[in-house]
């Protein structure tokens, strides 16, 4: 269990703990602050963040920009990986492949998922983290995956 996941578990059980964790998450990975992800769930094999619709993530037609959604997807993937990776290993994203199905007209939940068996392979290996973006009414707006390279931690 990583220190990131341990911190999430401690904070999420407290009032405003998820919000405090989200602020810390953005400080640790400042680029994510561009989309202000709200961490809804962090667990082995599943993470969910919400990207709210506000002018800072709008495109020229007033919907959430595709790259803002991609940033949310990468944030969810990172939380999933931190909660799932085995001790003595590390993860590195290798890319991202997304299909935008329709305009993102309101807040979007960025969902990252894997199966436990995906991580139980001989290292090094690749894990394909499945991604889905949904609006509040359940409409699926984005699908895709992020391939993650899982290796042993290098000896220092």
């Amino acid at each position: 269990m990583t220190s990131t996941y341990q911190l999430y578990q401690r904070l999420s059980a407290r009032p405003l703990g998820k919000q405090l964790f989200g602020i810390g998450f953005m400080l640790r990975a400042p680029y994510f602050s561009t989309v202000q992800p709200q961490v809804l769930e962090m667990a082995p094999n599943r993470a969910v963040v919400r990207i709210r619709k506000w002018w800072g993530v709008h495109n020229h037609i007033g919907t959430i920009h595709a790259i803002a959604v991609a940033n949310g997807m990468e944030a969810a993937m990172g939380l999933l990986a931190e909660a799932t990776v085995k001790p003595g290993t590390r993860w590195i994203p290798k890319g991202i492949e997304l299909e935008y199905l329709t305009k993102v007209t309101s807040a979007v939940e960025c969902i990252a998922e894997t199966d436990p068996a995906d991580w139980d392979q001989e290292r090094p290996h690749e894990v394909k983290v499945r991604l889905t973006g949904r609006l509040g009414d359940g409409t699926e707006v984005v699908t895709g995956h992020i391939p993650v390279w899982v290796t042993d931690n290098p000896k220092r």
Side-chain angles (χ1 to χ4, degrees):
M1 181 181 310
T2 65
S3 59
T4 304
Y5 185 45
Q6 288 173 337
L7 180 62
Y8 174 80
Q9 289 181 310
R10 280 198 313 270
L11 290 177
S12 66
R14 298 185 172 158
L16 301 176
K18 285 184 181 180
Q19 291 86 340
L20 184 59
F21 177 83
I23 292 167
F25 178 58
M26 287 185 289
L27 290 173
R28 180 81 166 107
Y31 183 72
F32 290 133
S33 66
T34 62
V35 295
Q36 302 177 352
Q38 177 187 6
V39 179
L40 301 180
E41 186 178 340
M42 179 184 185
N45 302 298
R46 183 174 165 85
V48 181
V49 301
R50 177 180 294 128
I51 304 301
R52 67 186 176 91
K53 186 175 184 280
W54 64 288
W55 70 268
V57 296
H58 282 182
N59 56 24
H60 66 289
I61 59 173
T63 62
I64 297 179
H65 194 283
I67 298 305
V69 176
N71 289 337
M73 295 296 189
E74 188 174 8
M77 175 281 303
L79 292 169
L80 173 149
E82 282 292 298
T84 310
V85 71
K86 306 288 185 223
T89 63
R90 68 177 181 175
W91 58 272
I92 303 168
K94 294 174 56 178
I96 188 168
E97 185 176 316
L98 297 175
E99 182 177 354
Y100 299 93
L101 307 173
T102 189
K103 291 184 271 188
V104 183
T105 57
S106 63
V108 60
E109 287 191 0
C110 302
I111 304 160
E113 296 178 305
T114 57
D115 297 317
D118 295 339
W119 299 86
D120 291 333
Q121 301 174 36
E122 189 173 320
R123 290 175 299 278
H125 71 278
E126 182 180 288
V127 173
K128 279 195 176 181
V129 178
R130 298 180 306 276
L131 305 169
T132 306
R134 290 196 180 104
L135 302 181
D137 66 3
T139 302
E140 190 173 71
V141 293
V142 178
T143 62
H145 72 275
I146 295 176
V148 176
W149 191 238
V150 180
T151 66
D152 292 322
N153 271 334
K155 293 185 176 30
R156 296 181 188 221

